[in-house]
Amino acid sequence: MAEKQLLLIDGNSIVFRAFYAMHTQIDRFTNQDGLHTAAIYGFKLMLDHVLDNFKPDAALVAFDAGKTTFRTAKYHDYKAGRAKTPEELTEQFPYVRQLVEASGLHSYELPDYEADDIIGTLAKQADQAGFRTLIVSGDRDLTQLATDHTTVAVTKKGVTQTEHFTPEYMKEKLGVTPTQFIDVKALMGDSSDNYPGVTKIGEKTALNLIREYGSLDGLYENIDQMKKSKRKENLINEEAIARQCQDLARIRRDAPVKIGLADLAYEGPQQEKLIDLFEKLNFKSFLAKMQVAPDTHQPVVSEQVQFTELTTDNLAELKQIKDQMVFLLELPDPNYHVSAVAGFVIGSQGHWWVSQDPELLSAPEIKELLENPKIKKDTFNAKAHYVALHRQGIELHGNGFDFLLVSYLLNTNDNSNDLGQLAHEHNYYQVQSDEEVYGKGKSRHLPDDRSVFFTHLVQKGMAIEQLKHPLTDQLHENEQWPLYTDIERPLSHVLAKMEIAGVHVDATTLKEMGSKLKERLAELEQAIYNEAGEEFNINSTKQLGTILFEKMKLPVIKKTKTGYSTSVEVLEKLQGRAPIIDNILVYRQISKIQSTYITGLLKVIHSSDQKIHTRYLQTLTQTGRLSSVDPNLQNIPVRLEEGRKIRRAFKPSQPGWKIFSSDYSQVELRVLAHVTGDRNLQQDFIDGKDIHESTARRIFHLLPGEKVTPNMRRQAKAVNFGIVYGISDYGLSQNIHVTRKQAHEFIQSYFKEFPGVQEYIENIVKLAKKQGYVETLTHRRRYLPEINSKNFSRRSFAERTAMNTPIQGSAADIIKIAMINMNEQLQKAGLKAKMLLQIHDELIFEAPEEEIDQLRELVPKVMDSAVKLDVPLKVESKVGDTWYDLK
DNA sequence: TAAGTCACG
DNA sequence: ACGTACGTGACTTAC
């Protein structure tokens, strides 16, 4: 039989390592009571890692008993001068001990001795008893305990990466034995334990000396033969010190420990205790993992799930469904416009039906359920379901509880798209994440075993059912119920319709542009190679940096983490120094257009209808805005003419139709005027002034007759933006190229003219610090966990967010309301016009020419009456034959 | 997979 | 003294 295995952990040193390894994230690891948990978390990581790789029969975590030990008695400076252990760490120790206990490991401490000595003593006993021992520590001193039967693992990076010291490894790496290492320490000293060693002897010299003389004793026996040197003098003069240091460095192997190997049997973790502890500590990922047996990947605590596989023969069973059902499609590809349907689950009143046959959805028994608005569907991502079902000719109606949408509203940080992960966030563990069931990356696939697949589907359905009521209650508590039922839920349907409608993009136009750009790129490439004197990859910032800053010796303006910055700001500062710069700037511009907007868009035009169908992510941004992916249609070029031409390819889908667009003018600044209540800002909007001009007039103290110069307006505009973003003098100075001092003066002047804004900023930050979150007009909530961080940079960021989010988020609320109303009004008026795109403050439609006059009236009316603010909203409309031609 | 860059509001 | 504007997504190169 294999030899027995003993695990010995140096508790204090691992806790310290864990604490400092995760120190940069100290504020991210706190539980609901503000207790810091990073060290406990790190300790648990280490523990799991060790137990995965080493199966102990006996295990002990040794702790230091107190500040004073026999070493301090002998040498009172031992470990003196150490910085006091921070409170954020000391508060974690009791929990580490609870963790150790719940994990089924013994712990021990011994007055007057350090953890090292306990470990040294027990390791010796274990060697004699024929155990194989693993010692885990963050302290290299313990390597002196390595023997043929005892390996010492010392943390290297983080808490799980360790270096394993055996006698052979030490011989190879350091050229000394474990015992000799004690004498090395004696000579070199230890600054953290605060013993000096011999003057001028560091690790290198100490190792050399011990390698040469074999030991400290050997060295002093032969010291007379040593060549005369300052070092020899020091060694002779400080022999007593060296001997004392040797005594301090030597870990005791005969400490009076009151326990023996027989008391250390490892019997594995106590689930209940661990669950309680992790809940207290808010360790959700560990909780999630615990619920699943690592071998079967089946949840440990779930009762056997019961389900019926639907066939054409038993569809009649669904007749019992009356007013509510859980419905979930399994769509393996995140792009639900094209994804296959791998299966689906229907649940109602404790019955679960599953199928892998999407054809069944079109059976009247199911189709009628789905299309009946009186039967509410509880699901996950209703929008994806609308779109996917639409492809099968099914119109989904009756949107009930949408777990994805609700999770996001409760906490915008929960923007995972995985049902299992989100369920875990809400402390529901009887469901696995898709990654756990299907794998990730290349190896992601549906399980071969159909029952595994169906079980997963049913468990997802059950999660929706179980979480519906608690999460609905939370929405009510947060005053977010109307936000859900009146805005986000109906919006998901509106967005689905827009995505399904798609936008016609003319591939021929793009291809023609593409071939012209290709020629220009080739010319630019040649010019750049000529100027550089060699061929290189212009798209590689690394290669470009070498050419510009090493070969051509241009001045380095800015560095990035990995090398020279070659961003536009940098290149613009270098303009005029070499013709290559202009060419690179143009090359970059063209190649961006070519790769992202020509090739990129061509790839996503559906061949069936010549349209692009983006997906709006409704549960991603921290502010409540939408985002657009596959492709992103919210960043089609407009600022520079060259790129703007891309918009020529965006055309109406039918002859005789036009593109129509309406956008909110200065919506964020109007929201600012509303939420701050600033009288001056409000008055300027009420008076219908050009807001940047009137801001300039105020902050530059112009008299009534004086003109606002374009430069003044430009600067005032930047100040206005700065205010919305959470201003800093540095940021503003960078943006408008003035000194920091000037920027500071602009800001002060702004606050003087708009005192309500200044007051708002102060108040919102205070409020955020007090309640931990900020809200928009519709009670959309963003939590700011770092608002009270001790780290200046993190805290400042949270403070800027605290002021920006209500502004940007309320503007997002407004256009969402407008979109829902717009959808209704178009229907009501019986118009053929279709809403196609939303670009944050702008809505784009296509419509028959004869409807344009109606739209010119209707759209602005709907948009500016979406909400009632203390200032008017202003909407501007344009029409054209393509998106480019809007006028 | 991360970093750099650049497109948009 | 700290290290900076807010919110996004796609493409490319380099590791």
Side-chain angles (χ1 to χ4, degrees), chain A residues 165-416:
Chain A
F165 289 85
T166 58
E168 303 82 68
Y169 180 74
M170 287 184 72
K171 195 85 207 167
E172 195 181 303
K173 183 177 164 122
L174 303 171
V176 297
T177 65
T179 322
Q180 286 177 320
F181 191 73
I182 303 170
D183 294 354
V184 173
K185 295 288 298 187
L187 290 173
M188 67 185 265
D190 186 317
S191 59
S192 81
D193 285 349
N194 199 40
Y195 57 86
V198 175
T199 306
K200 289 280 178 195
I201 294 184
E203 183 171 2
K204 288 254 164 66
T205 319
L207 280 168
N208 282 333
L209 288 171
I210 297 300
R211 277 196 287 256
E212 186 177 348
Y213 294 97
S215 67
L216 198 64
D217 287 339
L219 184 146
Y220 281 109
E221 273 162 32
N222 297 296
I223 191 106
D224 297 339
Q225 280 107 55
M226 198 184 276
K227 266 201 324 221
K228 188 171 166 357
S229 69
K230 189 73 196 163
R231 176 179 300 156
K232 180 176 177 180
E233 254 176 63
N234 287 337
L235 281 166
I236 292 171
N237 292 338
E238 298 175 21
E239 179 174 352
I241 294 174
R243 301 262 180 212
Q244 188 181 29
C245 291
Q246 183 193 39
D247 185 46
L248 291 171
R250 187 192 304 116
I251 292 170
R252 295 303 185 262
R253 315 213 60 166
D254 54 358
V257 297
K258 304 277 191 310
I259 49 167
L261 299 173
D263 305 315
L264 303 183
Y266 172 67
E267 279 157 13
Q270 300 170 291
Q271 298 291 336
E272 292 300 309
K273 279 191 182 173
L274 275 183
I275 290 172
D276 285 351
L277 179 63
F278 291 166
E279 273 172 0
K280 206 185 306 169
L281 297 172
N282 207 19
F283 282 179
K284 292 184 176 164
S285 61
F286 288 133
L287 275 172
K289 270 189 207 150
M290 285 182 60
Q291 310 288 330
V292 174
D295 45 354
T296 60
H297 279 263
Q298 289 302 306
V300 171
V301 285
S302 92
E303 61 276 38
Q304 196 64 34
V305 297
Q306 300 285 335
F307 53 82
T308 310
E309 184 171 356
L310 278 172
T311 64
T312 43
D313 299 330
N314 62 11
L315 285 170
E317 289 183 22
L318 299 175
K319 286 218 174 84
Q320 56 184 287
I321 296 175
K322 288 287 175 282
D323 51 5
Q324 179 275 337
M325 66 193 256
V326 172
F327 177 67
L328 193 65
L329 290 174
E330 191 69 354
L331 303 168
D333 184 334
N335 187 346
Y336 45 73
H337 289 293
V338 297
S339 176
V341 175
F344 62 91
V345 58
I346 291 174
S348 188
Q349 295 156 3
H351 292 82
W352 295 95
W353 294 273
V354 293
S355 170
Q356 279 187 308
D357 178 10
E359 300 287 316
L360 277 184
L361 292 166
S362 300
E365 290 88 341
I366 297 185
K367 187 167 189 253
E368 279 163 25
L369 284 177
L370 296 174
E371 296 192 331
N372 184 346
K374 292 205 180 109
I375 300 175
K376 299 296 177 209
K377 283 80 182 181
D378 297 331
T379 187
F380 183 83
N381 195 358
K383 176 157 69 72
H385 288 70
Y386 286 123
V387 175
L389 290 172
H390 180 85
R391 297 204 327 262
Q392 296 213 21
I394 302 168
E395 280 288 315
L396 181 66
H397 285 290
N399 189 357
F401 170 73
D402 185 339
F403 177 31
L404 177 67
L405 212 41
V406 170
S407 300
Y408 168 73
L409 293 181
L410 290 173
N411 189 342
T412 50
N413 294 310
D414 294 352
N415 54 13
S416 159

Side-chain angles (χ1 to χ4, degrees), chain A residues 665-674 678-692 694-695 698 720 870-874:
Chain A
S665 159
Q666 310 296 356
V667 64
E668 291 193 349
L669 288 173
R670 286 170 202 267
V671 169
L672 181 74
H674 175 80
D678 186 276
R679 290 305 175 88
N680 288 344
L681 194 54
Q682 291 195 349
Q683 198 57 50
D684 286 350
F685 278 122
I686 290 166
D687 295 343
K689 289 190 172 149
D690 173 330
I691 199 63
H692 300 316
S694 65
T695 303
R698 288 184 188 274
N720 277 329
D870 295 341
V871 292
L873 287 172
K874 190 177 161 196

